[in-house]
């Protein structure tokens, strides 16, 4: 397998061939540029399919990458779902669902955030023609309890044109909860950032695309280049397009 290198702008402009109902998953360590890239992919999808209902689920109390992209893409922030509407405001291009965190009561916090996310994910799934952006699917699935809703999207979203775009830091999850195998088997578009943890590499290489050699996936992912940007080590991404399968390294 020869892995071609494609600059990011060229990939976004010419090669990212997203169709409604397809899923995306980006797996990379913290600070590798997952959120930024997932928003870039979402921006392309929105440009091509302006009628898509877009909602980004934000499980962290704050995230500057999400704040600036919400602004860029015209996504209105809402702390609850469904969002409150004012008749004098134009319909936004989409939403960021950013529930308020309850600091001193973790059980109530989990229940409250989980409920808001569940309302939105159900809505987006049943109405279809949607793009659910679940940034950090471990937090959303395991900590806030939406694993079965995410699985339903992975498995059956395609037939409703309900896409799931997610990111993940650790490919296997933790002792608190495992990452669903559907997060590997269902996305048409998979991206991996540089990782040199042997366990993570093993999981990534088991993606099960028969024409692609697991050892080669490991060695490409281990050797992806990173750029230091502020405090972050932003990574090139290995792209696997399940339809081919095709592979490429996407620049920063
Ligand atoms: N391709 C890029 N070009 C320029 N800056 C980038 C690029 N990708 C990411 N950044 C910047 O690097 C920082 C980290 O990116 P980002 O927040 O997307 O990482 P992340 O993997 O989502 O991190 P976390 O795991 O903490 O959520 C941000 O300040 C972001 O704006
Ligand atoms: Mg992020």
């Amino acid at each position: 397998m020869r892995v071609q290198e494609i600059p990011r702008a060229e990939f976004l402009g010419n090669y990212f061939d997203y169709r409604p109902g397809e899923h995306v998953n980006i797996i990379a360590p913290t600070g590798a540029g997952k959120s930024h890239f997932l928003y870039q992919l979402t921006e392309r999808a929105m440009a091509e399919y302006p009628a898509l209902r877009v909602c980004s689920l934000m499980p962290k109390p704050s995230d500057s990458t999400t704040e600036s992209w919400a602004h860029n893409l015209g996504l209105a922030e809402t702390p609850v779902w469904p969002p409150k509407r004012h008749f004098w405001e134009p319909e936004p291009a989409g939403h960021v669902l950013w529930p308020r965190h309850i600091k001193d009561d973790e059980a109530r916090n989990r229940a409250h955030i989980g409920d808001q996310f569940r309302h939105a994910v159900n809505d987006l799934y049943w109405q279809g023609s949607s793009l659910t952006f679940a940034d950090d699917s471990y937090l959303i699935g395991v900590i806030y309890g939406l694993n079965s809703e995410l699985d339903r999207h992975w498995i059956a979203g395609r037939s409703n044109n309900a896409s799931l775009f997610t990111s993940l830091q650790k490919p296997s999850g933790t002792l608190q909860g495992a990452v669903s195998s559907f997060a590997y088997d269902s996305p048409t578009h998979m991206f991996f950032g540089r990782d040199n943890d042997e366990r993570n590499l093993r999981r990534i290489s088991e993606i099960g695309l028969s024409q692609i050699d697991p050892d080669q996936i490991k060695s490409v992912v281990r050797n992806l280049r990173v750029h230091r940007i502020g405090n972050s080590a932003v990574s090139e991404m290995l792209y696997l397009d399940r339809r081919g399968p095709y592979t490429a390294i996407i620049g920063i």
Side-chain angles (χ1 to χ4, degrees), residues 14 38 52 59 61 165 179 189 195 206 229 249-250:
N14 302 335
L38 205 53
L52 273 183
F165 280 33
V179 167
H189 310 277
D195 204 323
E206 284 166 357
I229 298 179
I249 293 171
I250 314 303

Side-chain angles (χ1 to χ4, degrees), residues 30-31 33-36 58 60 63 65-66 135-136 167 169:
T30 186
K34 297 180 297 296
S35 303
H36 183 81
M58 205 350 100
K60 299 179 185 172
D63 187 69
T65 305
T66 298
D135 197 11
D136 205 325
S167 73
Q169 283 182 17

